[in-house]
């Protein structure tokens, strides 16, 4: 059985980064669970509007793609934790590559979400018929903006973790050699 106190140096830093990544991914999942499910329509004049009749609550607390993203993040972070505990260079390399891919996906999601935010905002402003529909549209807009911010933070933390993991492959070995030389000097 291992203890966090036994892990020092680069592996401990990797464990901290993995914890931050998993926390941010979980926050993103919680934010996505409060997302209203609405359809957008395009009028004959070319304006985007929210079809309030088709707004509904989800059967699941969150969408399937949010759950898949969280599971992928969880699996990759578990690989990172295992790499840190075992000081495995190959697992660290795998974690770094997978997390780099995940950071790219989260970054692109955040950027495209922010690019489409102006269109969403104009669709919300067209809703004036029902107060309940307007509240749902505003909730959709604020939740989208917050979720894109969380995805941006997640992309940055994932990128930092990936770069650190790729660089720490060598740090694991250097620290092991340093520990061996310190143990040898004690003898």
């Amino acid at each position: 059985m291992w203890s966090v106190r036994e892990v020092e140096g680069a592996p401990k830093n990797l464990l901290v980064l993995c914890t931050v990544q998993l926390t941010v991914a979980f926050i993103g999942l919680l934010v996505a669970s409060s997302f209203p499910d609405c359809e957008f329509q395009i009028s004959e004049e070319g304006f985007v509007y929210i079809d309030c009749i088709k707004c509904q609550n989800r059967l699941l607390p969150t969408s399937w793609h949010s759950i898949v993203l969280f599971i992928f993040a969880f699996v990759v972070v578990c690989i990172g934790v295992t790499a840190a505990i075992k000081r495995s260079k190959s697992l660290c390399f795998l974690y770094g590559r997978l997390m780099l891919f995940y950071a790219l996906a989260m970054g692109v999601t955040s950027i495209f979400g922010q690019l489409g935010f102006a269109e969403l905002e104009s669709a919300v402003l067209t809703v004036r018929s029902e107060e309940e529909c307007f509240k749902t549209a505003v909730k959709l807009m604020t939740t989208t903006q917050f979720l894109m911010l969380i995805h941006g933070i997640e992309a940055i933390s994932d990128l930092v973790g990936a770069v650190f993991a790729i660089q720490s492959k060598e740090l694991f070995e250097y620290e092991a050699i340093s520990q061996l030389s310190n143990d040898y000097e004690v003898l």
Side-chain angles (χ1 to χ4, degrees):
M1 191 72 183
W2 68 276
S3 169
V4 174
R5 293 184 183 138
E6 295 173 7
V7 182
E8 294 179 1
K12 188 172 188 176
N13 295 339
L14 186 58
L15 281 176
V16 169
L17 284 169
C18 286
T19 304
V20 168
Q21 290 168 339
L22 197 57
T23 303
V24 174
F26 186 70
I27 291 170
L29 183 67
L30 291 178
V31 170
S33 69
S34 66
F35 222 68
D37 195 11
C38 295
E39 281 191 25
F40 293 90
Q41 302 291 333
I42 300 176
S43 67
E44 292 176 7
E45 296 84 29
F47 296 110
V48 176
Y49 67 95
I50 297 173
D51 190 356
C52 292
I53 297 170
K54 295 185 180 178
C55 285
Q56 57 190 359
N57 292 328
R58 295 184 175 149
L59 298 175
L60 296 173
T62 189
S63 63
W64 65 270
H65 54 82
S66 295
I67 294 171
V68 168
L69 283 174
F70 180 76
I71 289 172
F72 183 78
F74 182 77
V75 168
V76 174
V77 167
C78 286
I79 292 171
V81 169
T82 305
I85 292 169
K86 293 185 175 185
R87 292 181 176 261
S88 170
K89 289 176 20 176
S90 60
L91 283 178
C92 195
F93 183 75
L94 177 65
Y95 162 78
R97 297 296 179 194
L98 288 174
M99 196 50 78
L100 198 58
F101 171 74
Y102 188 71
L104 177 69
M106 289 293 101
V108 167
T109 301
S110 178
I111 289 169
F112 284 139
Q114 289 296 335
L115 289 175
F117 189 73
E119 205 58 45
L120 176 61
E121 190 174 28
S122 68
V124 168
L125 293 176
T126 62
V127 176
R128 295 288 180 206
S129 58
E130 302 173 20
E131 186 176 332
E132 189 65 33
C133 182
F134 183 71
K135 286 180 182 178
T136 302
V138 169
K139 182 180 179 182
L140 178 68
M141 184 177 71
T142 56
T143 305
T144 300
Q145 191 171 29
F146 188 61
L147 187 60
M148 292 309 109
L149 176 68
I150 294 295
H151 283 329
I153 292 169
E154 191 173 358
I156 291 169
S157 70
D158 294 344
L159 183 63
V160 168
V163 169
F164 182 78
I166 291 169
Q167 288 180 343
S168 65
K169 284 185 347 180
E170 285 77 27
L171 290 175
F172 285 5
E173 194 168 300
Y174 294 147
E175 288 175 355
I177 292 169
S178 174
Q179 184 64 34
L180 283 175
S181 67
N182 289 342
D183 291 345
Y184 182 71
E185 287 176 6
V186 171
L187 293 175

